């Protein structure tokens, strides 16, 4: 599958291990991010390789968070970089490898920097308060989502941070093309049922090329 032909599903869950992908991909996930933290490089490489295999079997687009060198080595199609990740990233190497690129943004300067990378999507967060990690930014709110979409035009906008199934419709209405969820699924008493509910609520929305 060439990166240029990839369609992005409006539902974008994020998981921290290939074990999570093995549980969730059979339920119908079409776009997923692997965000591995606190593992050795060798362990991370194995997680990425397994995730790539799982996603290929499931027909799911895999986005690798941060580890662009390992993603290139494993022949992945898509990488996501935060602003700090951009500091040491070789964007030319990423593009030469034929990979698509998603970039995080939290304020005006970061949005401008993200747009200079010619990203395949821009993520804005946190839309709402989040317990996933300590953030130096206050919640962006839905008005910022609308403003970001106006600024980036046809580039897909991902809304992330504190987004629950109940909040997702408002994030879409504010202008997000894609909504990302993490703890709303992983901390749910029944993650599989919650993920199925997400798919049912979002599958009718148009995919983004």
């Amino acid at each position: 599958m060439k990166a240029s032909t990839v369609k992005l599903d409006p539902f974008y869950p994020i998981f921290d291990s290939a074990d999570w992908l093995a549980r969730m991909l059979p339920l119908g996930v079409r776009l997923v991010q692997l965000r591995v933290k606190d593992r050795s490089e060798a362990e991370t490489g194995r997680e990425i390789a397994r995730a790539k295999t799982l996603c290929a079997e499931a027909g799911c687009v895999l986005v690798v968070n941060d580890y662009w060198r390992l993603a290139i080595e494993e022949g992945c199609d898509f990488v996501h970089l935060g602003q700090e990740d951009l500091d040491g990233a070789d964007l030319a190497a990423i593009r030469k490898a034929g990979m698509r690129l998603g970039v995080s943004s939290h304020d005006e300067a970061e949005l401008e920097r993200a747009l200079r990378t010619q990203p395949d999507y821009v993520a804005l967060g946190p839309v709402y308060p989040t317990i996933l990690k300590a953030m130096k930014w206050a919640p962006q709110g839905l008005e910022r989502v609308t403003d970001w979409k106006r600024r980036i035009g046809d580039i897909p906008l991902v809304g992330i941070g504190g987004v629950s199934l109940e909040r997702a419709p408002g994030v879409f209405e504010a202008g997000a093309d894609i909504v990302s969820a993490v703890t709303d699924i992983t901390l749910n008493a029944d993650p599989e049922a919650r993920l199925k509910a997400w798919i049912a609520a979002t599958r009718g929305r148009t995919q983004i090329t």
Side-chain angles (χ1 to χ4, degrees), residues 74-95:
E74 297 298 335
C76 297
D77 293 323
F78 218 131
V79 66
H80 176 94
L81 297 178
Q83 291 285 320
E84 293 180 356
D85 303 327
L86 281 174
D87 293 338
D90 186 339
L91 297 180
I94 290 170
R95 293 305 191 185

